[in-house]
Amino acid sequence: MEDDAPVIYGLEFQARALTSQTAESDAIRFLVGTQSLKFDNQIHIIDFDDENNIISKSVLLHQAGEIWHISASPADKAVLSTCYNKTSESRVVTCGAVWSMPPEWESGSHESPDDPHNSHNPQNLELLCHLDNSAHGNASSVLWEPMGDGKRVISLADNHALLWDLTESSTQATISSSATLEGKGQLKFTSGKWSPHHNCTQLATANDTAIRGWDLRTMSQIYCIENAHGQLVRDLDFNPNKQYYLASCGDDCKVKFWDVRNINEPVKSLEEHSHWVWSVRYNHSHDQLVLTGSSDSRVILSNMVSISSEPFGHLVDDDDLSDGEDNHQDEKSKEPLQDSIISTYEEHEDSVYAVEWSSADPWLFASLSYDGRLVINRVPRALKYHILL
Amino acid sequence: MYIRSSRRVHGMLKLYYGLNEEGKTVDQAESMNPCDINGTHFDPEVYLNKLRRECSLGELMDQESCMVKQIRSLDSDMQTLVYENYNKFISATDTIRKMKNDFKKMEDEMDCLSTNMAAITEFSAHISGTLQDQHAQITKLSGVHTLLRKLQFLFELPARLNKCLELQAYSQAVSSHRRARCVLQQYSHMPSFRGIQDDCHAIMDKLAQELRQKFRDGGSSAEDLSECVELLLQLDEPAEELCDKFLSHAQSRLEANLRGLEAETDILEFIDRGCNEFVSSLCLVIASYQELFVNRPQEGNLASKDIPHMAIGKLHAFVDALATCYFSLVERRIQEEKSVGDNSLLVRALDRFHRRLQAVAKLLPGSAVPSQGTEIVVRAARERIKQYLAALQSFYLDSLRDVRQALAAPRLGGSSAGELLSSLSASILNQIKSVLASVHLFTAKDITFSNKPYFKGEFCSQGVRESLVVNFIKFVCQSSRQFCESAGDRGGSTPPALLLLLSRLCLDYETSTITYILTLTDEQFLVQHHSPVTAVAALCGEARGAAQKLLNHYVKVQGLIISQMLRKSVETRDWVNTIEPRNVRAVMKRVVEDTTSIDVQVGLLYEEGVRKAHSSDSSKRTFSVYSGSRQQTRYAPSYAPSAPMDTNLLSNIHKLFSERIDIFSPVEFNKVSVLTGIIKISLKTFLECVRLRTFGRYGLQQIQVDCNYLQMYLWRFVSDENLVHFLLDEIVGSTAHRCLDPAPMEQSVIEVICERG
């Protein structure tokens, strides 16, 4: 049972921003934002044909500036948000904005990936609204309300977390509430995550070495994990199935798993990367699968069975039990489940700043390195069957 | 004829006197000869005929004259004999006649006697008849007398007993009472006797009371006590109760002893006092108890059969209970003995303790006390080992604290780290040795318990070797590892120099010290490995792991310190609007200085290590700056150099890529590897930070200057200078990429600036 070889796609520009198209549940589709100071930046829409192992891409122009962060609306396939650098009068400002893809992008500018320089005449993104507030400084990321109707976003700007309401088909954005991080020195949110649990009323943010939880109803802090990592915390992700579980990664090369009810000690800590870990993602369906990307140019897929919502393997439905009971029990008794590294992917040659699971296929993920290389990989089949059966 | 008759008379006489004449043999031989004139069968006719026939006349004449002569002599002889015998006969006749008269007289007297005797008999019978009545009366009287005396005794008994009681002559009283008891019992239906009996009972009760009182009294001596018990037993006091009382009495005294013990402070005195007071008293009690209850001869109705059995049971329970108290006291006391300075005191105390308990063992075979005592000793030894381990550990931690202070104290002169290491390692070793010596006392030959199986086997192997030595070594490794973990999250609370020093310490342990210590232990304690023990190799592996971890951590911490400087310097500056570079930034100089001092620090403890051959012009390399218009082809690496480079370097870079640089990777135990690790971490941080910024023209130029400066100084520290080249190339390349107006500075200008410093 050979696993399929990874599929590699190269961008012309350097890139850091990657997201899967959250609202798309059929096609495997990723969005990549480029970073170039001299040319018009682009958003590459990467479609992956799983059966034929073929990548097809579309390019949309993002002329506002180089993209540092990208995220897609959970409700509308065509809507996305970016954080981008705007250079004006020898000042560099990072802004947030909500965009809409032009309706005909899919049919119009569909290109073969084999023809890399054929990006002439790409279409522009259509600006819906700016998430702009000059009083609140540089935006580091924009977060959509998970599983929401695409009407609410949070932007993290320097030391502020701003909750926006999008109205008028997202063309109007108004700040409904905000929270400010206060303390000594220049505090700045490095990243954040909107919790899908508790009716989407919680937010987790990272600044320096601390992780903080916020209640969005009161915009007040719920918990604070000081010194969650030895150095800067780079990324966070919520366990999609266990409401109190949170994964974090940072410059101390570690990935830590927290139960936010007990913030003194991490539940689990991994130290597999040999440099900073920039990104951590739980699989949306099988939360034992955790993906991490690091500036040691590696992507690591771990199987954290012991702290997953399925610590004893996949729960079998009653119907299945009636006919296959014995088999399952045998299987469980002879295979003790242990946390392990499933695989280390070394296709990248530069730092990997972003990894993302596909929202359509839970067994597929993409990783993006700084040199513009996007690699699409699959969970090894053996493991997939092990989890499923 | 005459002759014949004379012969016959002669013969008769001869027969009468019984004489044996000479010629008797001839006579017998010739007795049948009829010619023998002296023979019995002499026949004169035959003789004469023979003579006449044979002899001549002359001869006959001679014969005849001889014959006549012989007849004459015979006649005279006969006359003499007759005369003599006649006289005798006369006197005999006289005598007989006289006897005849005497007998007659005697007969008369005999008659008289017999009559007298008859009279006497008659008299005697008469007297007897008269005295018969009186005799019976006397016998009866004498019986009455005896009875009366007994009765008198009985009547006097209460008074006597009272008097005895007054004089405290208890034993006499008891024996008196014992004599009277049966009688009183027998006649108790008679009122008078009953009164006596009641009186006696009252008195005896009083007596028993008094005895019990005396028994209960703490003051009386053991001998008194035993006497009391003896008497009470004779008074039919229940033995069981007595046992209980005896024991409870003894118990109160022994408990007083125990209470006295509690005040004692010095362990040796404590044990001494315990032995001399408690254990001796206990032995005494056991001995007298056994004397009284267990070994006493079976006295019929007094001691029922199961008294010894019951008594032994009680004694065991008693001894066990008291011993438990004592042991708990001893154990508590031993536990208080925490000072590990002088072990000999404790060992001696334990030895005494153990020795004295053997006495109990002899007195009371089958008691659990001695084995419990041994167990206490064993436990104490175990506890001791634990304490020594704790002492060793705290000593180690104290030493570390000292080392840390010494490191923190600003001291010049490079030898300090090396000296600290050697003094630390020497003092630890000394401490281990002294602890081993102390523990060794437990197994000394003159200690009674040293030949117990525990002290021969388990104590040496499991106790000393495993629990003490191996655990200590493990502790050293463990605590070293902890330095890595705690420091990692809290931003380096451990001074890096200490990490380095510990790493070297662990490495030394791996190479030699562990083997030395374990060999020493095995030799001193003649460890026989009955149970599996930790192998030297496993410990060495652990030490090596710890050393590796410490060194890795050292690299990480030092790299982090430099990284932090670089990061701050990149993050805080406005690179778009910076001015044209005139100097190398101060932070770069600081980086080089720090790296140099780290180099010195590591050099003190670790060997140089191997490095690749240097190119002669390492410091003169130029950095390639990518042209801004460079368009990347799809799979081409972003770092593809555009400036001319020698092919060797290019291939090296490719090689680097094929090998991939692990930034926080394990380092080797040498200076070059350590420094390489630190520089790798620092430069990678630099690179990542640069990529997050946007640069103006002069920003790029400043980075160029800085990188050139780093290149000039850092290459010498690393194992492969190409690594530095590559990372610095990356930094400059990335900067150029992030530059709004990438106009690189002339190499010559850069060099001038760098040389100016």
Side-chain angles (χ1 to χ4, degrees):
Chain A
M1 190 157 44
E2 266 310 295
D3 282 320
D4 291 324
V7 181
I8 299 174
Y9 170 76
L11 285 80
E12 294 85 348
F13 302 109
Q14 290 168 333
R16 284 173 180 271
L18 167 73
T19 186
S20 65
Q21 199 175 27
T22 324
E24 175 63 76
S25 55
D26 297 330
I28 299 163
R29 187 171 296 155
F30 293 99
L31 307 177
V32 182
T34 64
Q35 283 195 320
S36 170
L37 289 164
K38 285 139 208 125
F39 301 95
D40 281 343
N41 282 287
Q42 304 165 338
I43 287 185
H44 288 235
I45 302 165
I46 316 285
D47 266 287
F48 181 64
D49 183 346
D50 195 20
E51 281 169 21
N52 302 315
N53 237 16
I54 293 171
I55 283 181
S56 50
K57 70 157 186 179
S58 320
V59 176
L60 297 171
L61 282 182
H62 180 278
Q63 284 168 325
E66 52 175 6
I67 303 167
W68 287 84
H69 184 264
I70 188 169
S71 53
S73 161
D76 188 343
K77 282 192 237 186
V79 177
L80 62 107
S81 68
T82 60
C83 292
Y84 57 92
N85 264 6
K86 200 163 67 179
T87 317
S88 56
E89 299 141 21
S90 48
R91 270 188 69 233
V92 180
V93 192
T94 314
C95 310
V98 180
W99 309 86
S100 169
M101 299 179 195
E104 63 277 18
W105 67 268
E106 238 168 330
S107 54
S109 61
H110 222 85
E111 291 175 29
S112 162
D114 302 328
D115 191 7
H117 295 287
N118 193 9
S119 55
H120 56 81
N121 205 18
Q123 291 177 298
N124 277 327
L125 277 174
E126 291 167 9
L127 179 70
L128 290 175
C129 63
H130 285 290
L131 298 174
D132 229 357
N133 192 320
S134 49
H136 291 121
N138 296 317
S140 67
S141 54
V142 174
L143 313 170
W144 292 87
E145 181 180 28
M147 295 167 280
D149 53 3
K151 297 272 191 259
R152 298 213 299 168
V153 292
I154 290 173
S155 71
L156 299 174
D158 279 350
N159 59 340
H160 303 287
L162 309 170
L163 179 60
W164 303 82
D165 279 335
L166 302 179
T167 50
E168 318 254 332
S169 310
S170 305
T171 54
Q172 200 87 37
T174 50
I175 296 177
S176 65
S177 59
S178 72
T180 305
L181 183 62
E182 275 159 14
K184 273 193 296 182
Q186 284 217 318
L187 297 175
K188 189 166 178 282
F189 287 123
T190 51
S191 79
K193 204 81 187 180
W194 196 328
S195 165
H197 305 292
H198 311 289
N199 210 13
C200 297
T201 55
Q202 287 189 7
L203 171 74
T205 61
N207 67 292
D208 201 17
T209 61
I211 297 172
R212 285 160 205 275
W214 304 85
D215 188 335
L216 295 175
R217 293 166 296 190
T218 58
M219 288 312 249
S220 57
Q221 184 177 311
I222 324 169
Y223 54 86
C224 174
I225 309 172
E226 298 279 3
N227 291 318
H229 283 265
Q231 297 168 59
L232 211 62
V233 181
R234 290 281 171 190
D235 197 17
L236 302 166
D237 198 17
F238 279 99
N239 187 316
N241 300 322
K242 293 178 89 175
Q243 55 181 346
Y244 296 109
Y245 275 67
L246 177 68
S248 67
C249 60
D251 287 3
D252 58 359
C253 311
K254 289 179 184 165
V255 179
K256 292 186 179 180
F257 298 89
W258 303 89
D259 182 338
V260 298
R261 292 165 297 187
N262 175 19
I263 58 172
N264 298 319
E265 283 289 320
V267 181
K268 202 95 190 179
S269 181
L270 291 181
E271 191 170 1
E272 300 295 339
H273 286 289
S274 68
H275 202 243
W276 306 350
V277 187
W278 287 77
S279 183
V280 59
R281 286 289 178 272
Y282 276 109
N283 187 297
H284 304 305
S285 318
H286 306 283
D287 55 68
Q288 62 267 52
L289 301 178
V290 175
L291 199 59
T292 51
S294 154
S295 42
D296 65 0
S297 315
R298 292 193 179 95
V299 174
I300 292 181
L301 178 61
S302 317
N303 191 9
M304 304 303 292
V305 186
S306 68
I307 52 170
S308 78
S309 60
E310 300 172 2
F312 306 110
H314 186 64
L315 293 175
V316 187
D317 293 338
D318 290 342
D319 300 345
D320 296 342
L321 265 177
S322 55
D323 49 283
E325 193 171 9
D326 298 334
N327 290 338
H328 284 297
Q329 278 173 348
D330 289 350
E331 215 169 289
K332 271 170 213 160
S333 57
K334 74 186 169 206
E335 286 178 49
L337 296 159
Q338 277 179 329
D339 296 344
S340 58
I341 300 296
I342 298 163
S343 188
T344 303
Y345 301 93
E346 311 217 352
E347 282 83 20
H348 293 285
E349 289 174 0
D350 205 338
S351 304
V352 179
Y353 293 131
V355 291
E356 200 70 63
W357 291 96
S358 162
S359 49
D361 181 349
W363 308 109
L364 197 121
F365 58 89
S367 55
L368 179 68
S369 58
Y370 189 59
D371 55 6
R373 182 179 294 189
L374 180 81
V375 179
I376 295 178
N377 265 303
R378 293 180 187 82
V379 176
R381 280 210 186 112
L383 178 73
K384 174 177 169 179
Y385 292 138
H386 179 74
I387 291 173
L388 282 179
L389 298 178
Chain B
M1 231 11 235
Y2 169 74
I3 293 172
R4 204 170 42 193
S5 66
S6 82
R7 293 249 179 241
R8 218 169 270 152
V9 173
H10 189 73
M12 280 172 71
L13 282 174
K14 241 191 343 191
L15 204 68
Y16 177 79
Y17 291 105
L19 293 171
N20 254 340
E21 290 175 1
E22 64 261 53
K24 184 182 170 186
T25 47
V26 180
D27 188 32
Q28 278 181 343
E30 293 174 4
S31 57
M32 302 305 287
N33 192 354
C35 298
D36 184 5
I37 203 159
N38 293 325
T40 336
H41 301 284
F42 181 68
D43 191 345
E45 290 299 324
V46 175
Y47 184 69
L48 277 178
N49 290 341
K50 192 186 169 189
L51 279 178
R52 266 180 279 175
R53 256 183 313 184
E54 289 173 6
C55 296
S56 57
L57 190 58
E59 282 173 347
L60 277 173
M61 292 297 283
D62 287 346
Q63 193 80 28
E64 201 240 343
S65 64
C66 179
M67 194 87 66
V68 168
K69 236 198 266 177
Q70 278 182 356
I71 291 169
R72 276 183 199 144
S73 99
L74 276 172
D75 271 342
S76 74
D77 280 352
M78 204 154 68
Q79 274 176 356
T80 316
L81 275 172
V82 168
Y83 181 72
E84 279 171 6
N85 283 327
Y86 183 73
N87 282 346
K88 280 179 186 170
F89 184 73
I90 295 296
S91 84
T93 314
D94 286 350
T95 307
I96 288 171
R97 196 177 295 136
K98 205 177 161 194
M99 271 174 68
K100 207 173 179 179
N101 289 338
D102 283 351
F103 271 111
K104 203 150 212 165
K105 216 166 122 192
M106 205 157 74
E107 200 172 324
D108 294 341
E109 277 178 24
M110 280 308 283
D111 284 343
C112 177
L113 182 65
S114 90
T115 37
N116 282 351
M117 279 308 287
I120 286 169
T121 310
E122 199 180 331
F123 268 115
S124 168
H126 184 67
I127 288 168
S128 287
T130 350
L131 286 181
Q132 188 73 46
D133 286 348
Q134 280 183 336
H135 183 76
Q137 220 164 353
I138 286 170
T139 313
K140 201 177 161 194
L141 277 176
S142 126
V144 170
H145 179 70
T146 319
L147 190 64
L148 279 176
R149 273 183 53 185
K150 279 182 184 167
L151 279 176
Q152 189 185 11
F153 174 77
L154 279 183
F155 284 123
E156 281 174 1
L157 188 60
R160 265 171 91 127
L161 288 178
N162 268 331
K163 201 170 177 196
C164 285
L165 202 57
E166 256 170 54
L167 294 173
Q168 300 199 322
Y170 299 118
S171 53
Q172 206 184 332
V174 171
S175 65
S176 304
H177 179 246
R178 268 182 67 198
R179 273 193 282 156
R181 189 163 48 183
C182 302
V183 182
L184 287 174
Q185 190 65 39
Q186 198 178 343
Y187 295 103
S188 58
H189 57 277
M190 289 151 89
S192 53
F193 284 105
R194 190 165 194 97
I196 294 171
Q197 194 185 16
D198 289 346
D199 283 357
C200 284
H201 268 306
I203 293 166
M204 287 324 280
D205 280 348
K206 206 170 148 199
L207 182 79
Q209 209 66 42
E210 225 161 285
L211 280 173
R212 274 193 219 112
Q213 182 62 41
K214 198 173 161 195
F215 189 65
R216 229 176 281 129
D217 250 357
S220 45
S221 69
E223 290 78 25
D224 285 352
L225 269 182
S226 45
E227 195 194 335
C228 279
V229 170
E230 183 82 28
L231 294 176
L232 283 170
L233 272 178
Q234 287 181 1
L235 283 178
D236 273 352
E237 203 72 13
E240 198 171 338
E241 206 172 293
L242 278 181
C243 289
D244 285 345
K245 275 190 186 155
F246 184 84
L247 289 179
S248 76
H249 178 237
Q251 185 165 18
S252 65
R253 270 186 306 159
L254 288 170
E255 272 171 359
N257 280 343
L258 284 182
R259 270 196 298 284
L261 274 182
E262 281 175 40
E264 206 55 62
T265 49
D266 184 69
I267 177 80
L268 202 55
E269 278 177 33
F270 172 84
I271 294 289
D272 259 356
R273 221 175 129 180
C275 290
N276 292 340
E277 293 183 358
F278 176 77
V279 180
S280 333
S281 316
L282 186 68
C283 289
L284 203 65
V285 167
I286 294 172
S288 54
Y289 183 90
Q290 283 181 330
E291 191 84 358
L292 283 176
F293 298 106
V294 183
N295 298 337
R296 58 182 300 112
Q298 300 276 333
E299 286 178 24
N301 55 352
L302 261 184
S304 66
K305 270 183 190 166
D306 53 346
I307 280 190
H309 191 249
M310 178 273 304
I312 281 281
K314 277 193 187 300
L315 182 63
H316 273 289
F318 166 78
V319 171
D320 284 350
L322 271 177
T324 312
C325 281
Y326 178 55
F327 286 157
S328 74
L329 210 60
V330 169
E331 215 155 357
R332 202 167 345 122
R333 186 63 193 78
I334 289 174
Q335 271 166 15
E336 275 169 34
E337 202 59 20
K338 288 220 163 54
S339 105
V340 286
D342 189 5
N343 197 36
S344 62
L345 271 183
L346 180 76
V347 173
R348 254 161 58 204
L350 286 175
D351 180 37
R352 245 172 249 188
F353 171 72
H354 187 260
R355 208 187 287 270
R356 288 305 287 262
L357 285 180
Q358 302 312 309
V360 179
K362 273 183 207 128
L363 269 175
L364 200 60
S367 163
V369 171
S371 64
Q372 279 173 0
T374 311
E375 257 168 46
I376 284 185
V377 173
V378 167
R379 270 205 293 279
R382 277 208 190 106
E383 193 59 35
R384 205 63 181 161
I385 285 178
K386 270 188 209 148
Q387 283 168 0
Y388 271 117
L389 178 62
L392 268 182
Q393 290 175 347
S394 76
F395 175 82
Y396 173 71
L397 293 179
D398 286 350
S399 310
L400 279 193
R401 197 175 313 123
D402 292 349
V403 168
R404 187 187 272 217
Q405 272 165 7
L407 284 173
R411 214 201 296 180
L412 294 174
S415 59
S416 62
E419 278 168 13
L420 279 173
L421 176 68
S422 59
S423 76
L424 174 68
S425 124
S427 68
I428 291 173
L429 203 58
N430 277 339
Q431 191 71 13
I432 291 178
K433 279 181 185 166
S434 76
V435 163
L436 281 182
S438 297
V439 173
H440 196 246
L441 288 174
F442 277 107
T443 59
K445 286 270 185 297
D446 56 337
I447 303 295
T448 46
F449 52 74
S450 66
N451 58 1
K452 295 269 171 202
Y454 170 76
F455 282 96
K456 281 193 160 165
E458 203 193 336
F459 178 76
C460 293
S461 69
Q462 288 305 314
V464 175
R465 191 182 189 272
E466 292 295 300
S467 308
L468 191 62
V469 179
V470 172
N471 268 359
F472 176 66
I473 294 170
K474 279 184 179 163
F475 171 78
V476 169
C477 298
Q478 208 71 41
S479 70
S480 304
R481 278 167 186 276
Q482 268 165 13
F483 277 116
C484 302
E485 271 144 32
S486 63
D489 290 345
R490 279 159 216 149
S493 59
T494 317
L498 182 64
L499 292 174
L500 192 67
L501 197 137
L502 282 177
S503 148
R504 183 70 216 193
L505 182 75
C506 288
L507 194 65
D508 288 346
Y509 265 66
E510 189 250 334
T511 49
S512 59
T513 317
I514 289 178
T515 320
Y516 172 69
I517 294 174
L518 285 182
T519 315
L520 189 75
T521 312
D522 287 357
E523 277 170 7
Q524 269 196 20
F525 287 88
L526 302 169
V527 176
Q528 295 158 345
H529 303 305
H530 298 302
S531 44
V533 291
T534 318
V536 176
L539 278 181
C540 286
E542 197 164 326
R544 192 180 178 84
Q548 180 74 60
K549 192 163 182 190
L550 281 163
L551 198 61
N552 287 349
H553 193 64
Y554 173 76
V555 169
K556 207 165 169 177
V557 168
Q558 291 288 27
L560 199 68
I561 293 171
I562 295 176
S563 294
Q564 221 58 303
M565 282 193 299
L566 287 168
R567 175 142 128 198
K568 282 273 146 27
S569 79
V570 176
E571 280 178 357
T572 50
R573 197 162 174 139
D574 181 359
W575 290 100
V576 178
N577 299 312
T578 187
I579 53 158
E580 190 173 0
R582 297 183 198 286
N583 289 311
V584 178
R585 283 187 301 148
V587 69
M588 295 303 158
K589 292 181 182 166
R590 182 76 197 284
V591 167
V592 172
E593 276 168 26
D594 280 10
T595 313
T596 312
S597 71
I598 290 170
D599 183 61
V600 172
Q601 197 177 43
V602 178
L604 289 172
L605 294 171
Y606 279 100
E607 295 75 29
E608 181 72 25
V610 192
R611 67 176 85 217
K612 292 189 180 168
H614 304 138
S615 59
S616 54
D617 61 344
S618 288
S619 58
K620 301 276 185 196
R621 268 193 70 251
T622 59
F623 285 104
S624 54
V625 175
Y626 311 134
S627 70
S629 59
R630 184 173 64 100
Q631 272 288 335
Q632 286 175 300
T633 53
R634 178 179 280 184
Y635 292 113
S638 60
Y639 40 77
S642 58
M645 282 183 174
D646 58 46
T647 49
N648 182 30
L649 185 63
L650 204 64
S651 69
N652 264 333
I653 287 177
H654 282 303
K655 196 172 126 237
L656 272 173
F657 261 92
S658 59
E659 281 174 2
R660 195 187 283 268
I661 307 168
D662 275 341
I663 306 301
F664 291 107
S665 57
V667 290
E668 289 161 25
F669 292 107
N670 60 55
K671 189 180 86 174
V672 168
S673 177
V674 169
L675 263 291
T676 307
I678 294 171
I679 289 170
K680 249 181 348 188
I681 292 171
S682 312
L683 293 184
K684 178 77 176 176
T685 306
F686 197 7
L687 172 66
E688 291 294 339
C689 291
V690 160
R691 285 179 175 183
L692 289 169
R693 303 287 298 180
T694 310
F695 294 83
R697 177 198 292 184
Y698 297 127
L700 168 64
Q701 291 182 355
Q702 182 69 60
I703 295 289
Q704 274 186 289
V705 169
D706 290 349
C707 286
N708 196 70
Y709 181 81
L710 290 180
Q711 169 65 31
M712 280 166 65
Y713 290 99
L714 291 185
W715 65 268
R716 69 190 82 211
F717 297 121
V718 299
S719 61
D720 184 0
E721 57 184 300
N722 289 325
L723 187 79
V724 176
H725 297 165
F726 163 70
L727 281 166
L728 290 171
D729 265 350
E730 273 281 276
I731 293 169
V732 176
S734 288
T735 314
H737 245 289
R738 304 280 324 141
C739 183
L740 297 167
D741 178 18
M745 197 178 235
E746 284 293 318
Q747 183 63 27
S748 56
V749 184
I750 295 175
E751 276 165 23
V752 169
I753 295 175
C754 286
E755 269 153 32
R756 210 169 50 201

